[in-house]
Amino acid sequence: MSTDQLIIADRSFTSRLLMGTGKFANNQLMAEAIRASETEVVTVALRRVDLDAPQDDMLAAIDTERILLLPNTAGARDAEEAVRLARYARMAGCPSWVKLEVTPDPRYLLPDPLETYKAAQILIKEGFTVLPYINADPVLCKHLEEIGCATVMPLGSPIGSNKGIKTRENLRIIIEQSHVPVVVDAGLGAPSHAAEAMEMGADAVLVNTAIAIASDPAAMARAFAKAVQAGREGYLAGLGPQSSLASASSPLKGLMWE
Amino acid sequence: MSTDQLIIADRSFTSRLLMGTGKFANNQLMAEAIRASETEVVTVALRRVDLDAPQDDMLAAIDTERILLLPNTAGARDAEEAVRLARYARMAGCPSWVKLEVTPDPRYLLPDPLETYKAAQILIKEGFTVLPYINADPVLCKHLEEIGCATVMPLGSPIGSNKGIKTRENLRIIIEQSHVPVVVDAGLGAPSHAAEAMEMGADAVLVNTAIAIASDPAAMARAFAKAVQAGREGYLAGLGPQSSLASASSPLKGLMWE
Amino acid sequence: MSTDQLIIADRSFTSRLLMGTGKFANNQLMAEAIRASETEVVTVALRRVDLDAPQDDMLAAIDTERILLLPNTAGARDAEEAVRLARYARMAGCPSWVKLEVTPDPRYLLPDPLETYKAAQILIKEGFTVLPYINADPVLCKHLEEIGCATVMPLGSPIGSNKGIKTRENLRIIIEQSHVPVVVDAGLGAPSHAAEAMEMGADAVLVNTAIAIASDPAAMARAFAKAVQAGREGYLAGLGPQSSLASASSPLKGLMWE
Amino acid sequence: MSTDQLIIADRSFTSRLLMGTGKFANNQLMAEAIRASETEVVTVALRRVDLDAPQDDMLAAIDTERILLLPNTAGARDAEEAVRLARYARMAGCPSWVKLEVTPDPRYLLPDPLETYKAAQILIKEGFTVLPYINADPVLCKHLEEIGCATVMPLGSPIGSNKGIKTRENLRIIIEQSHVPVVVDAGLGAPSHAAEAMEMGADAVLVNTAIAIASDPAAMARAFAKAVQAGREGYLAGLGPQSSLASASSPLKGLMWE
């Protein structure tokens, strides 16, 4: 599998599991889970780190030689807030990549298609590499691709719901039509959900809650890592079609002594 | 994970992926897939091997030092035929383990609860270790457990259909109630299906068609092996509950500069 | 639709909605719901009525001129108990129809395939018209049909769960293969579930909990009656196939002024 | 149910089934289906009728005394085309209601959130009553409601796919949050799908393909009408919760003779 690389903008990655850093009980559990996941991209809410303090515990726990820190705009309620957060991060020395999240409603944290599009336009013009978190909306995905987003990140189900892929019909169309990597984000609550996304042909997945709230986060991170590989390898190995009739695994042409 | 063993009757296994041997294009592809799967139990249709010919290609391709050959009664249409096949295998030198399949209808190859129960009763009295293939019927599972079956092997969906787990409600109850290992058999068409079964708490899965008909069977076998591990490890690491509300991965208490 | 009759044994019915009588808050609510449902078959647990007391409130509430009272063996844990209940009912003057329920486990009330089959054999020999409640097991259905059961009554999901049709794969096969009426029993929790069963080609459905525990049982009974008709008429009117591509409802050959 | 009215803008309706007019084999079948459906709102693609020709067959087939003709902008690929179509219709004497459809991609005909929003803004300012067809996107729905749309019309699944409700998670949230009527549009392929939408609390549904391509369109229209009523009445009558445990319909406290 060494030649099967995920390429986003100008960087390539071996791991197809992106990881979020919210909700961990403490930084040590987080660091262990990141190591176990073998992830190469870790998202961090801008509001959670003090970017001026290089000794910040949380960042210290992440090996930034090997791992891309991807700031996200979690908490931004409209384009203006999101843009401001992204700019601030860059001023503070972050790379110019940003996971764009615009979520006006705190109850379900669903993304805003209009404000996300507007923020993406502005940030791309300013030279940012933009990875937008969005509903599984195929037409919106095409628009975001056209203005230069580096990926699309459609949700599987609402953030933190653990419900898995509830947007299968649209996701299938997005994957079929996209020319940028499709990263399934939000709602993946079990390793099988991540495997399923990869089997559909997604390029990567992002997982946070399911790992962070597991009884054993590092073990769960390892499980997700294997599931992502399993799904990817299953996809590449050529899954068979579903059938309504049975099809004997064993030949049935009469018993042995007949 | 080295201490997490699957114990069936008096044997213990490290791998929780059982593999069937039907439908492979040739014995070499089969042998490669078996190796890649790391399986320790391989089922063989009694009618497909010539048990009197030790040089038989197919068996030669399987490392029987490490792997348990599990004869199945595929093709048996009633208890009598199944019992006859099992006895014949033992006479020919097979171990006294048998995967019991009784499928009167060639169209869907669904198992017969009455004839399977009858055959299991006879074979257990004769000293066989019986692993019955059955519908996902919780009450039938209890009956089979009571008469001494070594496992229950409920189906996920019809053999060869690749549809995955379509019997989730009953499977959940079977897993909750069973005191013998539950091996989900038939219908698992993608690695994510196998992971899902393990996450539900199944003890093992059996896969054949999905691997045998893949474009690259060895790669698919490897993918299933990882998925089974991912699902098992996810189950042990403590999956979180599903929720209808969103739950922010990132803290949302006001933006950074507020 | 007047010629579209449901025929069970030697009787024909216009309504395809069978109704159970458990769980109603009182007999008046039950009677209103029965009327609103337009049902022609009502099941009654033998243990709930005092068959020697013709003035029994509950039976008095049912118009037995128009409606067939179908005693069921709810609570029977094995064949012997079920047979005893059925005989007792006949002695007390009930018709010789019986809905056969054998449920050894009080937690999920799932039917026992072995004991149900055994009881059906005995009761049919004694002249009963037997309607067995069973798991959605196609092979068991064929066996029950072969020994002379008047219907098969596979469950949609566990009794009282309101989960709808969770046995769709097997149910489809049962409907395809059966030569006696298929009555989907148990688990139908909403009118749409009943409509779905009918659209699949089921001959009838039996509903109890969903009506009895509704805020307004009579209104819910009316809703189920309409849903059963809707599903049946949809089935007869020829449902179209599902498609993965969109298919414009409106012609798209250029805008009006082009 | 006479007091249970659907109110859109300043009009009230008794029927909650809206019907499309595409794909019928001929105008007579269409007219019969409209009558059988008892619908009070019928959508017509602007490009399909010649609005200057009052004797147009198709419109002649619809009783516009009782039925609101709702022009749609099917075929519009962006906001500009949609606005132009709507204006043209009004100039030709149509009422100023418009079902707004903007679908840039002919393969799946999925709606464009950005262009739909833009067109809605313009048309509302010009005094139109706008009913937009959209993806099941809760945040977009709030935006459209805020600028004054008369309804939101989220899709169940792609137009003409007959797949039913594949957007259940988001639809649930839309229904919970909306202050304007929610009309589930597109993809409803069977009466049970329409009932399910109504049971979830949708205010109405729009159906076209499933009726138009049925073997017997008028019978299918009648089936959908009943299903919509069944679902609505079930919703109002108070559906019970789903449960994972069984719950006996019949009391189980010991057999009769015990």
Side-chain angles (χ1 to χ4, degrees):
Chain A
M1 303 295 296
S2 59
T3 59
D4 178 41
Q5 299 268 306
L6 167 67
I7 296 174
I8 301 178
D10 58 349
R11 290 187 62 144
S12 66
F13 305 91
T14 301
S15 162
R16 290 171 181 273
L17 172 59
L18 287 67
M19 228 185 94
T21 52
K23 287 191 190 173
F24 283 92
N26 58 56
N27 282 341
Q28 193 185 328
L29 284 176
M30 184 198 72
E32 287 168 11
I34 289 174
R35 265 194 302 280
S37 74
E38 297 177 36
T39 186
E40 293 164 345
V41 182
V42 157
T43 61
V44 189
L46 282 166
R47 287 163 306 113
R48 214 166 50 239
V49 291
D50 181 352
L51 295 163
D52 297 327
Q55 74 285 21
D56 178 285
D57 256 353
M58 187 184 166
L59 294 186
I62 302 173
D63 170 12
T64 51
E65 286 293 301
R66 209 179 56 75
I67 292 174
L68 173 68
L69 267 192
L70 179 60
N72 71 40
T73 63
R77 287 161 300 194
D78 56 24
E80 194 191 330
E81 288 185 357
V83 167
R84 218 186 320 164
L85 274 171
R87 285 177 185 155
Y88 178 83
R90 186 156 63 175
M91 278 190 297
C94 277
S96 60
W97 288 46
V98 63
K99 184 187 168 203
L100 179 58
E101 301 187 15
V102 185
T103 55
D105 165 30
R107 186 171 169 84
Y108 296 107
L109 293 170
L110 291 168
D112 185 327
L114 308 176
E115 295 291 312
T116 302
Y117 182 79
K118 198 189 296 177
Q121 277 185 310
I122 296 169
L123 292 171
I124 289 165
K125 275 188 196 135
E126 298 186 4
F128 282 89
T129 298
V130 177
L131 299 83
Y133 164 62
I134 46 173
N135 224 311
D137 181 325
V139 179
L140 180 63
C141 283
K142 290 315 282 181
H143 282 307
L144 290 167
E145 177 186 322
E146 281 157 18
I147 62 171
C149 285
T151 62
V152 287
M153 302 186 70
L155 58 82
S157 48
I159 291 185
S161 72
N162 278 344
K163 292 198 174 182
I165 299 178
K166 297 296 186 186
T167 53
R168 175 170 263 276
E169 290 301 309
N170 277 358
L171 209 46
R172 191 180 58 74
I173 297 172
I174 291 169
I175 290 168
E176 179 186 296
Q177 297 184 333
S178 187
H179 298 111
V180 293
V182 176
V183 183
V184 177
D185 186 10
L188 305 181
S192 61
H193 300 161
E196 186 187 354
M198 300 308 294
E199 287 161 6
M200 290 176 71
D203 296 280
V205 298
L206 191 153
V207 178
N208 185 347
T209 299
I211 294 175
I213 68 171
S215 311
D216 182 342
M220 190 61 85
R222 206 173 296 117
F224 267 94
K226 283 185 187 169
V228 169
Q229 289 172 33
R232 177 68 182 175
E233 293 174 25
Y235 172 73
L236 295 175
L239 291 163
Q242 295 192 359
S243 157
S244 278
L245 286 186
S247 165
S249 305
S250 313
L252 293 175
K253 299 195 200 87
L255 290 171
M256 205 186 268
W257 51 81
E258 285 175 344
Chain B
M1 304 294 297
S2 59
T3 58
D4 179 41
Q5 299 269 306
L6 167 67
I7 297 174
I8 301 178
D10 57 350
R11 289 186 63 143
S12 66
F13 305 92
T14 301
S15 162
R16 291 171 181 274
L17 172 58
L18 288 66
M19 229 186 94
T21 52
K23 288 191 189 171
F24 282 92
N26 59 56
N27 281 341
Q28 191 186 328
L29 283 176
M30 183 197 72
E32 287 168 12
I34 289 174
R35 263 194 303 278
S37 74
E38 297 178 34
T39 185
E40 294 165 342
V41 182
V42 157
T43 61
V44 189
L46 283 166
R47 287 160 308 112
R48 215 168 49 240
V49 293
D50 181 351
L51 295 163
D52 296 327
Q55 75 285 21
D56 177 285
D57 256 353
M58 185 184 168
L59 293 186
I62 301 173
D63 171 9
T64 51
E65 286 293 302
R66 209 179 56 75
I67 291 175
L68 173 69
L69 267 192
L70 179 61
N72 71 39
T73 62
R77 286 160 301 195
D78 56 24
E80 194 190 331
E81 288 186 358
V83 167
R84 221 189 315 166
L85 272 171
R87 285 176 185 155
Y88 178 83
R90 185 155 65 175
M91 279 190 297
C94 278
S96 59
W97 288 46
V98 64
K99 184 186 168 205
L100 179 58
E101 300 187 17
V102 186
T103 56
D105 165 30
R107 187 171 170 84
Y108 295 107
L109 294 171
L110 291 169
D112 186 325
L114 307 177
E115 296 291 312
T116 301
Y117 182 79
K118 199 189 295 178
Q121 276 185 310
I122 295 169
L123 291 170
I124 288 165
K125 275 189 195 133
E126 298 185 4
F128 282 89
T129 298
V130 177
L131 298 83
Y133 165 61
I134 46 173
N135 223 311
D137 181 326
V139 179
L140 180 62
C141 283
K142 289 315 283 181
H143 282 308
L144 290 166
E145 178 186 320
E146 281 158 18
I147 62 172
C149 285
T151 62
V152 288
M153 301 186 71
L155 57 81
S157 49
I159 290 184
S161 72
N162 279 344
K163 291 198 174 183
I165 299 179
K166 296 296 187 188
T167 53
R168 175 170 263 276
E169 290 300 309
N170 276 357
L171 209 47
R172 190 180 59 74
I173 297 173
I174 290 169
I175 290 168
E176 178 186 296
Q177 296 184 334
S178 188
H179 299 110
V180 293
V182 177
V183 184
V184 177
D185 186 9
L188 304 181
S192 61
H193 301 159
E196 186 187 353
M198 301 307 294
E199 288 161 5
M200 290 177 69
D203 296 281
V205 298
L206 191 153
V207 179
N208 185 347
T209 299
I211 294 174
I213 69 171
S215 312
D216 182 343
M220 190 60 86
R222 206 173 297 117
F224 267 95
K226 282 184 188 168
V228 169
Q229 289 171 33
R232 177 67 182 175
E233 293 174 26
Y235 172 72
L236 295 175
L239 291 162
Q242 295 193 358
S243 158
S244 279
L245 287 186
S247 165
S249 305
S250 312
L252 293 176
K253 298 198 201 84
L255 289 171
M256 204 185 269
W257 51 79
E258 285 175 345
Chain C
M1 301 295 297
S2 60
T3 58
D4 178 42
Q5 299 268 308
L6 166 68
I7 297 174
I8 301 177
D10 57 351
R11 290 187 62 142
S12 67
F13 304 91
T14 300
S15 162
R16 291 170 180 274
L17 172 59
L18 287 66
M19 229 186 93
T21 52
K23 287 189 190 173
F24 282 92
N26 59 56
N27 282 342
Q28 191 186 329
L29 284 177
M30 184 198 73
E32 286 168 11
I34 289 175
R35 264 193 303 279
S37 73
E38 297 176 36
T39 185
E40 293 165 343
V41 182
V42 157
T43 61
V44 190
L46 281 166
R47 286 162 308 112
R48 215 168 49 241
V49 290
D50 182 352
L51 295 163
D52 296 328
Q55 76 284 23
D56 177 285
D57 256 353
M58 185 183 166
L59 293 188
I62 301 173
D63 170 11
T64 51
E65 285 294 303
R66 209 179 55 77
I67 292 174
L68 173 69
L69 265 193
L70 178 61
N72 71 39
T73 63
R77 286 160 302 194
D78 58 23
E80 194 190 330
E81 287 185 358
V83 167
R84 221 187 316 164
L85 273 171
R87 286 177 185 153
Y88 178 82
R90 186 156 60 176
M91 280 190 298
C94 278
S96 60
W97 288 47
V98 63
K99 184 185 168 207
L100 179 58
E101 299 187 18
V102 185
T103 56
D105 166 30
R107 187 170 169 82
Y108 296 107
L109 293 172
L110 291 168
D112 185 327
L114 308 176
E115 296 291 313
T116 302
Y117 182 78
K118 198 188 296 177
Q121 278 185 310
I122 295 169
L123 292 171
I124 288 165
K125 276 191 195 130
E126 297 186 4
F128 281 90
T129 298
V130 177
L131 299 83
Y133 165 62
I134 47 173
N135 224 310
D137 182 326
V139 180
L140 180 63
C141 283
K142 289 314 283 181
H143 282 307
L144 289 166
E145 176 186 321
E146 281 157 17
I147 62 172
C149 285
T151 62
V152 287
M153 302 186 72
L155 58 83
S157 49
I159 291 185
S161 72
N162 278 345
K163 290 196 176 185
I165 299 178
K166 296 296 186 187
T167 54
R168 175 170 262 277
E169 290 300 309
N170 277 358
L171 209 48
R172 190 181 58 74
I173 297 173
I174 290 169
I175 290 168
E176 179 186 296
Q177 296 184 336
S178 187
H179 298 111
V180 292
V182 176
V183 183
V184 178
D185 185 9
L188 305 181
S192 61
H193 301 159
E196 186 187 353
M198 301 308 294
E199 287 161 7
M200 290 177 69
D203 297 280
V205 298
L206 190 153
V207 178
N208 185 345
T209 299
I211 294 173
I213 70 172
S215 311
D216 182 343
M220 189 62 85
R222 205 173 297 116
F224 267 93
K226 283 185 188 169
V228 168
Q229 289 172 31
R232 177 67 182 175
E233 293 173 25
Y235 172 73
L236 295 175
L239 291 161
Q242 295 192 359
S243 157
S244 279
L245 286 186
S247 168
S249 306
S250 311
L252 293 175
K253 299 197 200 88
L255 290 171
M256 206 185 267
W257 52 80
E258 284 176 343
Chain D
M1 302 294 297
S2 58
T3 57
D4 178 43
Q5 300 267 308
L6 167 67
I7 297 175
I8 301 178
D10 57 351
R11 290 187 61 144
S12 67
F13 304 91
T14 300
S15 162
R16 290 170 181 274
L17 171 59
L18 287 66
M19 229 186 93
T21 52
K23 288 190 187 172
F24 283 91
N26 59 57
N27 282 342
Q28 191 185 330
L29 283 175
M30 184 198 72
E32 287 168 11
I34 289 174
R35 263 194 303 279
S37 73
E38 297 177 35
T39 186
E40 294 164 345
V41 182
V42 158
T43 62
V44 190
L46 282 166
R47 287 160 308 112
R48 219 177 36 247
V49 291
D50 182 351
L51 295 164
D52 297 327
Q55 76 284 23
D56 177 286
D57 256 353
M58 185 183 167
L59 294 187
I62 300 174
D63 170 11
T64 51
E65 287 292 304
R66 208 179 56 75
I67 292 175
L68 173 68
L69 266 192
L70 179 61
N72 71 39
T73 63
R77 285 160 303 194
D78 57 23
E80 195 191 329
E81 287 186 358
V83 167
R84 221 189 315 166
L85 273 171
R87 286 177 185 154
Y88 179 83
R90 187 157 60 176
M91 280 189 299
C94 278
S96 60
W97 289 46
V98 65
K99 183 185 169 207
L100 179 58
E101 300 188 15
V102 186
T103 56
D105 165 30
R107 187 171 169 82
Y108 296 108
L109 293 173
L110 291 168
D112 186 327
L114 307 177
E115 296 291 313
T116 302
Y117 182 79
K118 200 189 295 177
Q121 277 184 309
I122 296 168
L123 291 171
I124 288 165
K125 276 189 196 132
E126 298 186 3
F128 281 90
T129 297
V130 177
L131 299 82
Y133 164 62
I134 46 172
N135 224 310
D137 182 326
V139 179
L140 180 62
C141 284
K142 289 314 284 180
H143 282 307
L144 290 167
E145 177 186 320
E146 280 157 18
I147 61 172
C149 286
T151 63
V152 287
M153 302 186 71
L155 57 82
S157 49
I159 291 184
S161 72
N162 278 344
K163 291 196 174 185
I165 299 178
K166 296 296 187 187
T167 53
R168 173 170 263 278
E169 291 299 311
N170 276 358
L171 209 47
R172 189 179 58 72
I173 297 172
I174 291 169
I175 290 168
E176 179 186 295
Q177 296 184 335
S178 187
H179 298 111
V180 293
V182 177
V183 183
V184 178
D185 185 9
L188 305 181
S192 62
H193 300 159
E196 186 187 352
M198 300 307 294
E199 288 161 5
M200 289 176 70
D203 296 281
V205 298
L206 191 153
V207 179
N208 185 345
T209 299
I211 293 174
I213 69 173
S215 312
D216 182 343
M220 190 61 85
R222 206 172 297 116
F224 267 94
K226 283 184 188 169
V228 169
Q229 290 171 31
R232 177 69 182 174
E233 293 174 24
Y235 172 72
L236 295 175
L239 291 162
Q242 294 193 359
S243 157
S244 279
L245 287 185
S247 167
S249 304
S250 312
L252 293 175
K253 299 197 200 86
L255 290 170
M256 204 185 268
W257 51 81
E258 284 176 344

